[in-house]
Amino acid sequence: MYIAGGFEKASPNDLKNNPKGSYKKIFKNISSSISEKKISRYTSREITELNFSKKEAGKRECVICRRSGHLQNNMCEFCSSLINMSSDIINKDFFVIKKENNIEKENGTGESVMLPFGCCVSAKTREELISDMKTDLFVRCYCKNKMYSGYNVSTKLWVGDYNKGGDFTALAKVNNGIERICVLRADIDDLGQAFVSGFENERVEDRYVSLSRTAAFSRKLSMFFKYHINEILKNGSCDLLDGIKERNAVIVYSGGDDVFIVGGWSDIIEFAIDLRNALLKYSQNTLTISAGIGIYPNKYPISAMAEETGMLEDNSKSRTSFNGEPLKNAVTLFEKGLCFGWDELIDRVLNEKFRIIKDFFSYCDERGKSFIYNILNYLRSIENDVINIARYAYMLSRLAPNKNESDVKKERYQYFSKKMYEWMKTEKDRRELITALYLYVYTQRERDDE
């Protein structure tokens, strides 16, 4: 069995889990070997050569892949060609392998990426593919996300290529409220354990523990994140913030078991819920996912978004119960303190607190956003300053309608103030209330707000 530059020994009996536990041991040994190779990437001789070899004049380090070479616009030829080809990857249905055309290379024409053995790959439309097939340079082609068949079509490739809403500046403007974009990073919890032990069943003497089932599991999971995710984005079903619709979002990366998606702030939050629900259905409630969601101005560096949202994702994966047992299966919104289980976010934050806040202020809108900001300040500091409980209660009393107001308005106020006071009492409810208030403010912020 080949792994990361080496081999791991495995007999047919090991693959058949005979004796019991042999199959699990294969994965354990592979994981240990990969970890060891990551720690010691280079031999002492290779390190010496890297440090003392003479560098060719004019070579610099690519700002993207960090390889040394002759650069244009601070990028190597490979990274530059990937960028040039990126829009074609999204918009065209076929990937064509051709022998290298020296004339095109010299003239700089064609959006292609160089491959080994004197070949290159480019994205093509159906008409362009038919034209290429008639030339001697054509080698083979792959179709994207569709079931084309034919003598020269090698296989189907599943690609998460959903793109709606434009660039980051446009995405920041597509939703109502605050002009911001959201970034979602998420991946499946305990996937390694699912591969190693997911098919164990003592009742049937582990007869389903096999390499073929593990491979099928891997293939189906990859298909979910590379193919089905396009449909989840296109047919959004969560309507807790902005309604059922096609999501305004762009897939930066989706494959294997994780995703990185950028979009309008409310679209991304609702899509995260759609993704979690779809995965539960797809896996028959056997897999869970943890996520981090960050909100940013559209000019914020994408690398910083990725790093910070990755930290929020890690925070979700470190969620534990009161007795310290790992829970995961969570989402962290905007900051580390706002981490929730998915059901908690859906039922308690959005369906309960956000809905009640939205209903009240849509009917009683005399107070502006400054009132909510004051409430947020008191909620954050209640635990450390008891006097803020009195200030919080006073702020709520200022919402009370006059005696001349309608009975309906008085009843709404009584219900709202009662719930707000109840939610203030426990740390759990306060976190949920703070998140719901954030979300409500984001729906109300106008474009010129700072």
Side-chain angles (χ1 to χ4, degrees), residues 79-93:
C79 291
S80 179
S81 61
L82 275 178
I83 292 173
N84 293 335
M85 185 181 167
S86 59
S87 61
D88 285 347
I89 293 174
I90 294 174
N91 298 317
K92 297 185 178 181
D93 292 332

Side-chain angles (χ1 to χ4, degrees), residues 36 65 72 74 106 143 146 159 168 226 231 250 252 262 307 331 352 355 357-358 372 374-375 403 408 434 441:
E36 183 178 342
C65 68
Q72 291 184 352
N74 295 319
E106 290 172 5
C143 60
K146 293 182 181 178
V159 179
F168 286 1
K226 290 182 178 180
E231 289 300 313
V250 176
V252 178
V262 181
E307 181 178 356
V331 56
E352 183 187 35
R355 180 179 56 81
I357 293 167
K358 182 180 178 181
I372 297 178
N374 288 331
I375 286 288
K403 60 181 180 180
V408 173
I434 287 171
V441 169

